[in-house]
Amino acid sequence: MTDNDFRYVFHHIPKCGGSSVNLALENWFKPVKDYRKVNTLDYREKIGSNNLQKDECLVGHFELDGFYLHQRYPEILHSDKFRVFSFIRDPLKTRLSLYRYEKKFRDRDVGSVHNAIAASGRRNWLSQRFPATIDNYKEVIDEYFFIGILEDAQASLDTLASLVRKPVVKVPWVNTTAPEHESLTPDEISQFREDNELDYLIYDYCVEKFNTMRITSL
């Protein structure tokens, strides 16, 4: 297949710069959005992936059981026709961004940042978005054509541009939440890493793959 024959899918993992990536993608594709309805757990009618045109890119969160990417579009991940890509972020930074977002935009008490990062219900939050387990996380990540690193966002976007044969664009930062002072102790950070071991395994593996891809593709 030539580059023009592929159809692209952006798996937008929440709090990992996806809104900014979506804006960048508009320079290359017509985004076909498949997100849940606002403030509900309901998805709209499934989009026919086989009807995607070469100038389109399917985008969505695909973050709930029953609507994971491999469930909603089982034909995509194992097809030579589709190229799936995503962006990921350091797990602690992701959790802090989620905390700040919920504190700012959700009409409820989200508690202190100290309690938020220790919450057992949010452990390994990133791994749940794919989803992946300790036994299969490398296989899950390897199904993706490309995964960028938000901490290296411009280089990631530049690499993606090279891979999809599109012009380089500057990251258009949007939906950023201003960081407040977070007085996390070294012990709290160490405990977070221990509690979220799988997320860090996934993140470190994505960084390793990206660094290899960045060297070979640019």
mmCIF file of all heavy atoms in Angstrom, residues 171-202:
data_model
loop_
_atom_site.group_PDB
_atom_site.id
_atom_site.type_symbol
_atom_site.label_atom_id
_atom_site.label_comp_id
_atom_site.label_asym_id
_atom_site.label_seq_id
_atom_site.Cartn_x
_atom_site.Cartn_y
_atom_site.Cartn_z
ATOM 1 N N VAL A 171 2.808 23.178 17.374
ATOM 2 C CA VAL A 171 1.775 22.705 18.301
ATOM 3 C C VAL A 171 0.887 23.879 18.716
ATOM 4 O O VAL A 171 1.382 24.870 19.267
ATOM 5 C CB VAL A 171 2.401 22.078 19.557
ATOM 6 C CG1 VAL A 171 1.304 21.683 20.542
ATOM 7 C CG2 VAL A 171 3.242 20.860 19.199
ATOM 8 N N PRO A 172 -0.419 23.811 18.451
ATOM 9 C CA PRO A 172 -1.330 24.889 18.842
ATOM 10 C C PRO A 172 -1.907 24.609 20.230
ATOM 11 O O PRO A 172 -2.953 23.989 20.365
ATOM 12 C CB PRO A 172 -2.422 24.814 17.767
ATOM 13 C CG PRO A 172 -2.461 23.347 17.400
ATOM 14 C CD PRO A 172 -1.077 22.781 17.631
ATOM 15 N N TRP A 173 -1.248 25.065 21.279
ATOM 16 C CA TRP A 173 -1.658 24.710 22.632
ATOM 17 C C TRP A 173 -3.038 25.278 22.970
ATOM 18 O O TRP A 173 -3.284 26.470 22.847
ATOM 19 C CB TRP A 173 -0.642 25.226 23.654
ATOM 20 C CG TRP A 173 0.675 24.528 23.598
ATOM 21 C CD1 TRP A 173 1.866 25.054 23.195
ATOM 22 C CD2 TRP A 173 0.947 23.169 23.947
ATOM 23 N NE1 TRP A 173 2.863 24.115 23.261
ATOM 24 C CE2 TRP A 173 2.324 22.939 23.723
ATOM 25 C CE3 TRP A 173 0.166 22.119 24.418
ATOM 26 C CZ2 TRP A 173 2.933 21.713 23.964
ATOM 27 C CZ3 TRP A 173 0.764 20.889 24.655
ATOM 28 C CH2 TRP A 173 2.136 20.700 24.433
ATOM 29 N N VAL A 174 -3.942 24.374 23.421
ATOM 30 C CA VAL A 174 -5.276 24.782 23.879
ATOM 31 C C VAL A 174 -5.645 23.922 25.083
ATOM 32 O O VAL A 174 -5.002 22.911 25.378
ATOM 33 C CB VAL A 174 -6.351 24.597 22.779
ATOM 34 C CG1 VAL A 174 -6.102 25.530 21.620
ATOM 35 C CG2 VAL A 174 -6.409 23.148 22.318
ATOM 36 N N ASN A 175 -6.708 24.333 25.775
ATOM 37 C CA ASN A 175 -7.231 23.581 26.931
ATOM 38 C C ASN A 175 -6.175 23.322 27.996
ATOM 39 O O ASN A 175 -6.179 22.279 28.652
ATOM 40 C CB ASN A 175 -7.832 22.240 26.485
ATOM 41 C CG ASN A 175 -9.232 22.418 25.932
ATOM 42 O OD1 ASN A 175 -9.712 23.539 25.816
ATOM 43 N ND2 ASN A 175 -9.870 21.324 25.589
ATOM 44 N N THR A 176 -5.265 24.256 28.157
ATOM 45 C CA THR A 176 -4.270 24.097 29.207
ATOM 46 C C THR A 176 -4.840 24.607 30.522
ATOM 47 O O THR A 176 -5.625 25.563 30.547
ATOM 48 C CB THR A 176 -2.993 24.885 28.884
ATOM 49 O OG1 THR A 176 -3.329 26.260 28.686
ATOM 50 C CG2 THR A 176 -2.343 24.332 27.621
ATOM 51 N N THR A 177 -4.489 23.952 31.614
ATOM 52 C CA THR A 177 -4.922 24.399 32.932
ATOM 53 C C THR A 177 -3.696 24.917 33.667
ATOM 54 O O THR A 177 -2.690 24.221 33.768
ATOM 55 C CB THR A 177 -5.555 23.247 33.735
ATOM 56 O OG1 THR A 177 -4.674 22.117 33.712
ATOM 57 C CG2 THR A 177 -6.897 22.858 33.133
ATOM 58 N N ALA A 178 -3.785 26.137 34.164
ATOM 59 C CA ALA A 178 -2.641 26.755 34.828
ATOM 60 C C ALA A 178 -2.287 25.962 36.079
ATOM 61 O O ALA A 178 -3.138 25.721 36.926
ATOM 62 C CB ALA A 178 -2.970 28.196 35.194
ATOM 63 N N PRO A 179 -1.047 25.526 36.188
ATOM 64 C CA PRO A 179 -0.670 24.735 37.365
ATOM 65 C C PRO A 179 -0.692 25.577 38.630
ATOM 66 O O PRO A 179 -0.215 26.697 38.651
ATOM 67 C CB PRO A 179 0.746 24.265 37.033
ATOM 68 C CG PRO A 179 1.257 25.274 36.078
ATOM 69 C CD PRO A 179 0.078 25.734 35.269
ATOM 70 N N GLU A 180 -1.312 25.020 39.667
ATOM 71 C CA GLU A 180 -1.255 25.662 40.968
ATOM 72 C C GLU A 180 -0.102 25.036 41.741
ATOM 73 O O GLU A 180 0.507 24.075 41.292
ATOM 74 C CB GLU A 180 -2.573 25.458 41.711
ATOM 75 C CG GLU A 180 -2.898 23.985 41.913
ATOM 76 C CD GLU A 180 -4.270 23.781 42.522
ATOM 77 O OE1 GLU A 180 -5.200 24.463 42.098
ATOM 78 O OE2 GLU A 180 -4.386 22.929 43.413
ATOM 79 N N HIS A 181 0.213 25.596 42.895
ATOM 80 C CA HIS A 181 1.312 25.057 43.690
ATOM 81 C C HIS A 181 0.900 23.694 44.244
ATOM 82 O O HIS A 181 -0.099 23.564 44.932
ATOM 83 C CB HIS A 181 1.655 26.005 44.838
ATOM 84 C CG HIS A 181 2.724 25.458 45.734
ATOM 85 N ND1 HIS A 181 4.011 25.250 45.287
ATOM 86 C CD2 HIS A 181 2.687 25.056 47.027
ATOM 87 C CE1 HIS A 181 4.734 24.757 46.295
ATOM 88 N NE2 HIS A 181 3.952 24.630 47.350
ATOM 89 N N GLU A 182 1.662 22.671 43.911
ATOM 90 C CA GLU A 182 1.384 21.328 44.398
ATOM 91 C C GLU A 182 2.553 20.878 45.273
ATOM 92 O O GLU A 182 3.630 20.583 44.768
ATOM 93 C CB GLU A 182 1.166 20.357 43.237
ATOM 94 C CG GLU A 182 -0.206 20.485 42.627
ATOM 95 C CD GLU A 182 -0.148 20.617 41.106
ATOM 96 O OE1 GLU A 182 0.939 20.559 40.535
ATOM 97 O OE2 GLU A 182 -1.213 20.799 40.520
ATOM 98 N N SER A 183 2.304 20.884 46.564
ATOM 99 C CA SER A 183 3.381 20.597 47.514
ATOM 100 C C SER A 183 3.468 19.098 47.778
ATOM 101 O O SER A 183 3.318 18.647 48.913
ATOM 102 C CB SER A 183 3.131 21.359 48.822
ATOM 103 O OG SER A 183 1.845 21.044 49.340
ATOM 104 N N LEU A 184 3.692 18.339 46.725
ATOM 105 C CA LEU A 184 3.833 16.899 46.888
ATOM 106 C C LEU A 184 5.214 16.594 47.468
ATOM 107 O O LEU A 184 6.220 17.143 47.028
ATOM 108 C CB LEU A 184 3.657 16.196 45.540
ATOM 109 C CG LEU A 184 2.314 16.398 44.839
ATOM 110 C CD1 LEU A 184 2.321 15.677 43.500
ATOM 111 C CD2 LEU A 184 1.170 15.917 45.716
ATOM 112 N N THR A 185 5.239 15.714 48.414
ATOM 113 C CA THR A 185 6.506 15.347 49.027
ATOM 114 C C THR A 185 7.174 14.252 48.204
ATOM 115 O O THR A 185 6.507 13.544 47.431
ATOM 116 C CB THR A 185 6.282 14.832 50.450
ATOM 117 O OG1 THR A 185 5.571 13.576 50.398
ATOM 118 C CG2 THR A 185 5.491 15.844 51.279
ATOM 119 N N PRO A 186 8.478 14.085 48.370
ATOM 120 C CA PRO A 186 9.161 12.975 47.690
ATOM 121 C C PRO A 186 8.531 11.626 48.017
ATOM 122 O O PRO A 186 8.448 10.751 47.147
ATOM 123 C CB PRO A 186 10.596 13.084 48.211
ATOM 124 C CG PRO A 186 10.768 14.527 48.539
ATOM 125 C CD PRO A 186 9.438 14.970 49.080
ATOM 126 N N ASP A 187 8.064 11.455 49.249
ATOM 127 C CA ASP A 187 7.421 10.193 49.624
ATOM 128 C C ASP A 187 6.113 9.995 48.876
ATOM 129 O O ASP A 187 5.784 8.876 48.462
ATOM 130 C CB ASP A 187 7.159 10.155 51.133
ATOM 131 C CG ASP A 187 8.422 9.910 51.943
ATOM 132 O OD1 ASP A 187 9.438 9.484 51.344
ATOM 133 O OD2 ASP A 187 8.399 10.148 53.158
ATOM 134 N N GLU A 188 5.343 11.079 48.695
ATOM 135 C CA GLU A 188 4.079 10.977 47.964
ATOM 136 C C GLU A 188 4.338 10.626 46.501
ATOM 137 O O GLU A 188 3.624 9.808 45.909
ATOM 138 C CB GLU A 188 3.308 12.299 48.053
ATOM 139 C CG GLU A 188 2.667 12.553 49.396
ATOM 140 C CD GLU A 188 1.964 13.888 49.444
ATOM 141 O OE1 GLU A 188 2.593 14.910 49.078
ATOM 142 O OE2 GLU A 188 0.790 13.922 49.859
ATOM 143 N N ILE A 189 5.344 11.241 45.922
ATOM 144 C CA ILE A 189 5.674 10.960 44.521
ATOM 145 C C ILE A 189 6.161 9.530 44.370
ATOM 146 O O ILE A 189 5.773 8.813 43.435
ATOM 147 C CB ILE A 189 6.731 11.959 44.016
ATOM 148 C CG1 ILE A 189 6.134 13.374 44.001
ATOM 149 C CG2 ILE A 189 7.233 11.576 42.626
ATOM 150 C CD1 ILE A 189 7.149 14.458 43.709
ATOM 151 N N SER A 190 6.992 9.088 45.288
ATOM 152 C CA SER A 190 7.487 7.714 45.257
ATOM 153 C C SER A 190 6.344 6.721 45.401
ATOM 154 O O SER A 190 6.288 5.706 44.691
ATOM 155 C CB SER A 190 8.514 7.505 46.367
ATOM 156 O OG SER A 190 8.961 6.171 46.394
ATOM 157 N N GLN A 191 5.403 7.029 46.292
ATOM 158 C CA GLN A 191 4.248 6.135 46.484
ATOM 159 C C GLN A 191 3.370 6.115 45.246
ATOM 160 O O GLN A 191 2.834 5.067 44.868
ATOM 161 C CB GLN A 191 3.438 6.584 47.699
ATOM 162 C CG GLN A 191 2.309 5.631 48.090
ATOM 163 C CD GLN A 191 2.823 4.274 48.508
ATOM 164 O OE1 GLN A 191 3.700 4.169 49.371
ATOM 165 N NE2 GLN A 191 2.315 3.212 47.882
ATOM 166 N N PHE A 192 3.215 7.274 44.604
ATOM 167 C CA PHE A 192 2.421 7.327 43.369
ATOM 168 C C PHE A 192 3.029 6.439 42.299
ATOM 169 O O PHE A 192 2.322 5.701 41.613
ATOM 170 C CB PHE A 192 2.308 8.772 42.869
ATOM 171 C CG PHE A 192 1.491 8.905 41.619
ATOM 172 C CD1 PHE A 192 0.115 9.064 41.690
ATOM 173 C CD2 PHE A 192 2.083 8.867 40.357
ATOM 174 C CE1 PHE A 192 -0.661 9.173 40.536
ATOM 175 C CE2 PHE A 192 1.335 8.980 39.203
ATOM 176 C CZ PHE A 192 -0.046 9.128 39.295
ATOM 177 N N ARG A 193 4.341 6.506 42.151
ATOM 178 C CA ARG A 193 5.013 5.665 41.150
ATOM 179 C C ARG A 193 4.813 4.187 41.467
ATOM 180 O O ARG A 193 4.609 3.377 40.560
ATOM 181 C CB ARG A 193 6.505 6.003 41.095
ATOM 182 C CG ARG A 193 6.831 7.362 40.518
ATOM 183 C CD ARG A 193 8.334 7.520 40.319
ATOM 184 N NE ARG A 193 8.791 6.641 39.253
ATOM 185 C CZ ARG A 193 8.918 6.982 37.975
ATOM 186 N NH1 ARG A 193 8.617 8.214 37.591
ATOM 187 N NH2 ARG A 193 9.363 6.124 37.087
ATOM 188 N N GLU A 194 4.872 3.852 42.743
ATOM 189 C CA GLU A 194 4.668 2.454 43.137
ATOM 190 C C GLU A 194 3.239 2.012 42.877
ATOM 191 O O GLU A 194 3.002 0.910 42.375
ATOM 192 C CB GLU A 194 5.009 2.294 44.623
ATOM 193 C CG GLU A 194 4.884 0.871 45.133
ATOM 194 C CD GLU A 194 5.272 0.739 46.588
ATOM 195 O OE1 GLU A 194 6.116 1.534 47.059
ATOM 196 O OE2 GLU A 194 4.727 -0.161 47.272
ATOM 197 N N ASP A 195 2.276 2.877 43.208
ATOM 198 C CA ASP A 195 0.863 2.537 43.024
ATOM 199 C C ASP A 195 0.472 2.475 41.551
ATOM 200 O O ASP A 195 -0.532 1.846 41.203
ATOM 201 C CB ASP A 195 -0.032 3.576 43.721
ATOM 202 C CG ASP A 195 0.060 3.508 45.232
ATOM 203 O OD1 ASP A 195 0.495 2.463 45.759
ATOM 204 O OD2 ASP A 195 -0.301 4.512 45.892
ATOM 205 N N ASN A 196 1.226 3.162 40.707
ATOM 206 C CA ASN A 196 0.896 3.253 39.278
ATOM 207 C C ASN A 196 2.007 2.638 38.425
ATOM 208 O O ASN A 196 2.368 3.169 37.371
ATOM 209 C CB ASN A 196 0.649 4.711 38.891
ATOM 210 C CG ASN A 196 -0.564 5.291 39.583
ATOM 211 O OD1 ASN A 196 -1.690 5.199 39.076
ATOM 212 N ND2 ASN A 196 -0.370 5.875 40.751
ATOM 213 N N GLU A 197 2.501 1.532 38.865
ATOM 214 C CA GLU A 197 3.611 0.856 38.195
ATOM 215 C C GLU A 197 3.304 0.559 36.734
ATOM 216 O O GLU A 197 4.145 0.771 35.848
ATOM 217 C CB GLU A 197 3.957 -0.446 38.914
ATOM 218 C CG GLU A 197 5.070 -1.234 38.236
ATOM 219 C CD GLU A 197 5.297 -2.590 38.868
ATOM 220 O OE1 GLU A 197 4.481 -2.996 39.726
ATOM 221 O OE2 GLU A 197 6.285 -3.249 38.490
ATOM 222 N N LEU A 198 2.099 0.071 36.445
ATOM 223 C CA LEU A 198 1.752 -0.277 35.073
ATOM 224 C C LEU A 198 1.751 0.958 34.179
ATOM 225 O O LEU A 198 2.254 0.909 33.045
ATOM 226 C CB LEU A 198 0.392 -0.975 35.025
ATOM 227 C CG LEU A 198 -0.132 -1.350 33.637
ATOM 228 C CD1 LEU A 198 0.880 -2.189 32.868
ATOM 229 C CD2 LEU A 198 -1.471 -2.079 33.750
ATOM 230 N N ASP A 199 1.207 2.060 34.667
ATOM 231 C CA ASP A 199 1.210 3.290 33.866
ATOM 232 C C ASP A 199 2.634 3.713 33.518
ATOM 233 O O ASP A 199 2.909 4.158 32.394
ATOM 234 C CB ASP A 199 0.514 4.418 34.623
ATOM 235 C CG ASP A 199 -0.987 4.427 34.399
ATOM 236 O OD1 ASP A 199 -1.508 3.478 33.771
ATOM 237 O OD2 ASP A 199 -1.650 5.376 34.864
ATOM 238 N N TYR A 200 3.547 3.576 34.466
ATOM 239 C CA TYR A 200 4.930 3.970 34.194
ATOM 240 C C TYR A 200 5.626 2.995 33.254
ATOM 241 O O TYR A 200 6.466 3.394 32.436
ATOM 242 C CB TYR A 200 5.711 4.147 35.498
ATOM 243 C CG TYR A 200 5.502 5.516 36.090
ATOM 244 C CD1 TYR A 200 4.591 5.709 37.122
ATOM 245 C CD2 TYR A 200 6.170 6.625 35.580
ATOM 246 C CE1 TYR A 200 4.367 6.980 37.649
ATOM 247 C CE2 TYR A 200 5.948 7.897 36.094
ATOM 248 C CZ TYR A 200 5.050 8.067 37.127
ATOM 249 O OH TYR A 200 4.818 9.327 37.627
ATOM 250 N N LEU A 201 5.276 1.724 33.337
ATOM 251 C CA LEU A 201 5.816 0.765 32.370
ATOM 252 C C LEU A 201 5.364 1.130 30.958
ATOM 253 O O LEU A 201 6.156 1.100 30.007
ATOM 254 C CB LEU A 201 5.358 -0.649 32.724
ATOM 255 C CG LEU A 201 6.020 -1.303 33.942
ATOM 256 C CD1 LEU A 201 5.310 -2.615 34.280
ATOM 257 C CD2 LEU A 201 7.501 -1.550 33.697
ATOM 258 N N ILE A 202 4.104 1.480 30.827
ATOM 259 C CA ILE A 202 3.562 1.873 29.523
ATOM 260 C C ILE A 202 4.229 3.156 29.034
ATOM 261 O O ILE A 202 4.667 3.249 27.883
ATOM 262 C CB ILE A 202 2.030 2.048 29.612
ATOM 263 C CG1 ILE A 202 1.352 0.692 29.813
ATOM 264 C CG2 ILE A 202 1.485 2.745 28.358
ATOM 265 C CD1 ILE A 202 -0.130 0.788 30.100
#
